[in-house]
Amino acid sequence: MNPQKRTRRMVAWLRVTGTGLLMAGAALAAQAQNAIEAVTGSLQSGAEVVRIDLAQPLAAAPTGFAVQSPARIALDFPGVTNGIGRSAVEINQGNLRSVNVVQAGERTRLVLNLKQATAYRTELQGKSLLVVLDPVPGPALAASAQTTFAENRNRDTLPLRDIDFRLGPDNTGRVIVDLPNNQVGVDVRQQGRNLVVEFTKSSLSEGLRRRLDVADFNTPVQFVNAQQVGDRVRMTIEPRGEWEHSAYQSDNQFVVEVRPRKIDPTKLTQGVGYNGEKLSLNFQNIDVRSLLQVIADFTNFNIVTSDSVSGSLTLRLKDVPWDQALDIIMQAKNLGMRKNGTVLWIAPKDEINAKEKAEFEARAAIENLEPLRTQSFQLNYTKALVIAQGLTGTGASAGGGGGSGTTTRILSPRGSVIAEARTNQLFVSDVPSKLAQVAELIQKLDVPVRQVMIEARIVEAADTFGKSLGVKLGGGFANRHATFGAMPVTSSSGSGSTGGIGYGTGNATTTWTNSNFINLPAGDAGGTGNAAGTFALSLFNSSFSRMLNLEISALEADGKGRLISSPRVITADQTKALIEQGEEIPYQQATSSGATSISFRKAVLKLEVTPQITPEGNIILTLDVSKDARGVNTTAGPAINTKHVQTEVLVENGGTVVIGGIFELTETNDESRIPVLGEVPVVGALFRNRERVANKTEMLVFITPKMITDRNAAR
């Protein structure tokens, strides 16, 4: 090939290759320079649309995720920078509050701050990305969009069975409603500071139309009010403080749980662990102050950084909650944090500790110089002397619950207290800060003690059965004697030789000699004291000189009995109560001097119990139940029949438990017979006596504790 042609072809190839490389480099440069230029919000066909304008079109829609509380939607743009010039864009249109654009390295996260959580979808249009938010119900639709657990398919109203309140774990109040069926419609909504629950197509009996005062349970729920409104039942739950609720339905039971909302003012996010929105950070030797500024822009927190915070940091975090990322940064640089509302003060830990120490020392110095004030406290349920001992640390705990209390002094060294027993008042002299603590303590201690009614039922049942079968077999002969005139006639019966006396009709006297050679009559089966029934038959020969007597006796006794004893007593929480009824039996007892004295022993029905109410509403009972009765008389005095049970048991409020029982079964089969003859089949029954006794006795002890929330309930 001509060298000139070869050179021209080489030049042309280089031109084409260079042009391609330049175009590829331009494309890469354009892609590297892609940035978010504008973010706007608008309404299109009733839907909210967020328009994100970029410098270059995106190859694919960005990935993202939604957060329910707080309501947010986050979108990640890899290889895109923030070209708006600010990190926050205020929208305030419809459901969209604002938009945050935060750049971290080669990635930019766009966060949509919503008023209510909703779904979304994305759509690419040229250089723009459209984020379409699903509509949320407005105020006009709020009533129709309430929580509905079931639809009522019945046209007629059905009565609710019961409305009850229970104490759950962690001071959770549970309102339990027994529905007539699982098809009752239930609507739950929050109205102001109250929680309203409506049961559609339902009615309420007169006994359930009441206002429950449940403030003594120490839950957020104070009152539960149920009333009939048209064809539905409206139940209003009145809580206090900060609370949150949940509701669920299980078959015919509907439960509303109201629990206190735990707020820790020192935590960045509420809840257990780290709950902040996730972010990704990838920096090389970034200044710590600049890194804290990035987190501040992302979280909308106001961060005040001390002048002593310095240094740089290299980190790579991917999808980490922002509060955890901040904690990692502060641990790496030995920094501390103090939170006051939405303001975070970040400084070295030594600086924070030194400042707090200075504040405490200044506060202690002021307390020693601050003038004293005197304040009186009127106590209603607790004795003033008990509270005074608790404040000064000279006695047991101010609660008076019977446990070992602390003896730590609550008042300051300059403080004093006077307990006035006649009016049950406290007069406390101390600095104002201590007086506030005393007032808070008295508010928690001076509360009515919860009461428990304990009912015991001792059931004794007896079932006796006895059966006896016996026989008598005997015979006799007649002796005739010649007489002159009318002479008495003596007839013999039984085993003796002389029986009844009659008068002969001729000149002869007849004497009967009779005896029982088999005497096995029926006994008193079961010890009832009743006589057995008899059937007798006598056989004579043709000349009436010989006779044979047969007597069959039988007895069958069946008895059933039941004895119920039901003592009940009301007592305060953790306070022992005793109730007994019976008699004191006297007996003689020898003394050390040799003389005798009269002593008494109780034969009573006794219930001794100490209740303890657990935080979840159950009741622990320490029980001592006995039922004694007078027994048989002995030479030393009457015996005592004892039935006794002593135990400790956990029972739910209003529940019934069997704490003990005794079952006895006595079966006796006795047979008496004549040897050899009694063993003969069929005929041998005339030579036997059989007795069968079966006695069953059973004792059960039932216990039913019930907390008294209404003072009129114990009647």
Side-chain angles (χ1 to χ4, degrees):
M1 182 181 293
N2 192 349
Q4 295 180 353
K5 291 183 178 180
R6 185 179 299 174
T7 302
R8 286 196 297 267
R9 288 183 179 180
M10 183 65 68
V11 172
W13 180 81
L14 290 174
R15 288 178 180 175
V16 173
T17 304
T19 303
L21 291 175
L22 289 175
M23 294 177 62
L28 291 175
Q31 183 177 1
Q33 295 176 359
N34 197 4
I36 298 176
E37 296 181 345
V39 178
T40 58
S42 61
L43 291 175
Q44 298 180 8
S45 301
E48 297 182 43
V49 179
V50 180
R51 186 182 185 91
I52 305 169
D53 297 327
L54 296 99
Q56 299 294 334
L58 296 175
T63 60
F65 58 90
V67 180
Q68 297 294 324
S69 180
R72 290 178 179 177
I73 297 175
L75 301 173
D76 288 335
F77 295 83
V80 178
T81 60
N82 182 7
I84 301 178
R86 61 184 186 276
S87 60
V89 179
E90 295 293 333
I91 302 295
N92 290 328
Q93 181 178 3
N95 191 29
L96 183 62
R97 297 179 183 270
S98 61
V99 178
N100 292 337
V101 183
V102 181
Q103 180 180 348
E106 298 178 355
R107 175 181 297 183
T108 299
R109 171 167 290 182
L110 187 140
V111 180
L112 306 180
N113 300 311
L114 307 176
K115 299 177 182 178
Q116 299 183 29
T118 184
Y120 72 96
R121 66 179 187 275
T122 58
E123 180 182 350
L124 293 174
Q125 286 188 0
K127 297 181 181 180
S128 300
L129 173 68
L130 302 182
V131 181
V132 182
L133 304 179
D134 290 349
V136 295
L141 301 177
S144 61
Q146 298 159 0
T147 306
T148 301
F149 288 84
E151 295 182 358
N152 193 351
R153 301 175 184 175
N154 301 323
R155 295 182 178 179
D156 300 332
T157 59
L158 298 176
L160 300 182
R161 296 177 180 176
D162 191 19
I163 299 177
D164 195 9
F165 180 84
R166 298 288 179 87
L167 179 64
D170 298 330
N171 292 336
T172 299
R174 292 179 177 175
V175 182
I176 303 174
V177 182
D178 288 336
L179 305 176
N181 54 49
N182 57 2
Q183 301 299 324
V184 176
V186 185
D187 298 333
V188 182
R189 69 177 183 273
Q190 185 174 348
Q191 184 174 343
R193 294 293 302 169
N194 298 333
L195 191 63
V196 178
V197 183
E198 290 190 351
F199 304 90
T200 60
K201 298 295 182 181
S202 301
S203 60
L204 197 64
S205 61
E206 292 294 335
L208 297 179
R209 297 182 184 182
R210 61 182 186 268
R211 180 181 176 90
L212 299 179
D213 185 357
V214 294
D216 294 342
F217 287 91
N218 195 24
T219 69
V221 181
Q222 300 297 295
F223 301 97
V224 179
N225 188 20
Q227 57 183 345
Q228 186 76 42
V229 180
D231 62 346
R232 59 178 55 198
V233 175
R234 178 176 296 172
M235 183 177 67
T236 304
I237 302 174
E238 302 179 18
R240 67 174 178 181
E242 297 294 333
W243 53 273
E244 57 187 6
H245 77 281
S246 62
Y248 59 90
Q249 182 174 340
S250 176
D251 198 12
N252 295 345
Q253 193 176 74
F254 181 79
V255 181
V256 180
E257 290 188 353
V258 181
R259 65 185 64 87
R261 181 180 297 169
K262 298 181 180 179
I263 299 178
D264 188 356
T266 62
K267 288 195 64 176
L268 298 176
T269 57
Q270 300 302 321
V272 180
Y274 300 105
N275 301 295
E277 186 179 349
K278 295 182 179 180
L279 80 163
S280 298
L281 299 174
N282 188 0
F283 295 104
Q284 295 288 334
N285 294 325
I286 185 174
D287 184 66
V288 175
R289 303 172 69 90
S290 301
L291 185 58
L292 295 176
Q293 184 62 38
V294 172
I295 296 179
D297 294 338
F298 182 80
T299 60
N300 287 332
F301 266 100
N302 301 313
I303 295 182
V304 178
T305 306
S306 175
D307 294 337
S308 56
V309 175
S310 61
S312 59
L313 191 65
T314 299
L315 75 163
R316 176 182 173 86
L317 301 176
K318 183 177 181 181
D319 294 336
V320 176
W322 69 265
D323 49 349
Q324 184 180 8
L326 181 59
D327 192 18
I328 292 173
I329 295 170
M330 290 191 300
Q331 289 181 8
K333 305 304 290 184
N334 196 25
L335 300 177
M337 177 194 67
R338 292 298 180 265
K339 179 175 177 290
N340 186 6
T342 60
V343 179
L344 302 180
W345 176 50
I346 297 178
K349 291 182 178 180
D350 295 339
E351 181 179 341
I352 294 178
N353 295 335
K355 184 174 181 180
E356 289 183 348
K357 181 180 179 180
E359 291 179 355
F360 291 150
E361 292 176 350
R363 192 179 305 169
I366 293 175
E367 186 175 310
N368 293 329
L369 299 175
E370 192 174 5
L372 299 180
R373 289 177 49 193
T374 301
Q375 185 175 350
S376 63
F377 299 93
Q378 178 66 56
L379 303 181
N380 298 318
Y381 306 100
T382 309
K383 292 183 179 180
L385 182 60
V386 177
I387 297 291
Q389 292 175 350
L391 294 177
T392 57
T394 58
S397 171
S404 60
T406 178
T407 58
T408 303
R409 180 181 177 89
I410 298 177
L411 299 178
S412 66
R414 301 167 57 202
S416 62
V417 58
I418 298 175
E420 209 286 314
R422 185 176 59 87
T423 59
N424 201 32
Q425 290 189 78
L426 278 180
F427 298 91
V428 183
S429 297
D430 212 327
V431 295
S433 60
K434 287 295 182 180
L435 291 178
Q437 294 181 12
V438 171
E440 184 179 359
L441 179 64
I442 291 178
Q443 184 180 5
K444 294 181 179 180
L445 294 179
D446 190 27
V447 294
V449 180
R450 290 181 289 181
Q451 297 181 349
V452 183
M453 180 177 67
I454 302 99
E455 180 180 1
R457 285 189 293 274
I458 305 173
V459 181
E460 300 176 74
D463 187 356
T464 61
F465 176 78
K467 184 177 181 181
S468 180
L469 179 64
V471 63
K472 287 183 179 181
L473 185 60
F477 58 91
N479 295 323
R480 291 184 174 86
H481 305 280
T483 59
F484 296 95
M487 296 295 293
V489 177
T490 302
S491 61
S492 177
S493 63
S495 59
S497 61
T498 303
I501 300 176
Y503 290 91
T505 57
N507 294 327
T509 301
T510 303
T511 302
W512 287 94
T513 302
N514 191 11
S515 64
N516 291 329
F517 48 87
I518 296 177
N519 189 11
L520 298 173
D524 184 7
T528 60
N530 298 323
T534 60
F535 173 76
L537 179 65
S538 299
L539 300 178
F540 295 88
N541 60 359
S542 58
S543 60
F544 291 96
S545 61
R546 299 286 189 272
M547 73 174 179
L548 181 65
N549 295 327
L550 176 63
E551 180 179 328
I552 299 175
S553 59
L555 176 65
E556 185 173 309
D558 189 4
K560 297 181 183 297
R562 186 175 64 173
L563 176 62
I564 299 178
S565 305
S566 181
R568 67 175 63 181
V569 65
I570 297 177
T571 181
D573 184 20
Q574 301 187 31
T575 303
K576 181 185 292 186
L578 173 65
I579 183 173
E580 59 183 12
Q581 178 188 14
E583 61 178 342
E584 290 189 352
I585 301 175
Y587 64 95
Q588 291 185 353
Q589 185 179 14
T591 62
S592 59
S593 62
T596 59
S597 62
I598 303 298
S599 300
F600 294 88
R601 183 179 178 183
K602 291 183 178 181
V604 297
L605 169 65
K606 183 184 73 171
L607 171 62
E608 183 177 329
V609 59
T610 303
Q612 177 184 348
I613 302 175
T614 62
E616 62 269 15
N618 298 328
I619 303 174
I620 299 176
L621 299 175
T622 302
L623 292 161
D624 189 354
V625 183
S626 62
K627 187 178 186 302
D628 300 340
R630 181 191 292 265
V632 298
N633 291 322
T634 64
T635 57
I640 304 296
N641 297 330
T642 301
K643 301 180 180 67
H644 185 206
V645 58
Q646 184 174 358
T647 184
E648 184 172 329
V649 64
L650 174 65
V651 192
E652 65 177 0
N653 181 27
T656 301
V657 64
V658 180
I659 64 171
I662 300 174
F663 177 79
E664 294 183 12
L665 174 61
T666 303
E667 291 185 346
T668 305
N669 288 293
D670 295 332
E671 181 178 316
S672 302
R673 63 177 180 270
I674 303 298
V676 181
L677 297 179
E679 299 175 1
V680 177
V682 182
V683 181
L686 300 176
F687 304 95
R688 291 195 299 262
N689 171 273
R690 290 183 176 179
E691 184 173 346
R692 176 174 173 264
V693 177
N695 294 332
K696 292 188 295 183
T697 60
E698 185 175 8
M699 185 193 73
L700 295 175
V701 181
F702 299 85
I703 293 293
T704 303
K706 183 179 181 181
M707 283 189 292
I708 300 177
T709 57
D710 187 0
R711 293 178 176 85
N712 298 324
R715 60 179 186 272

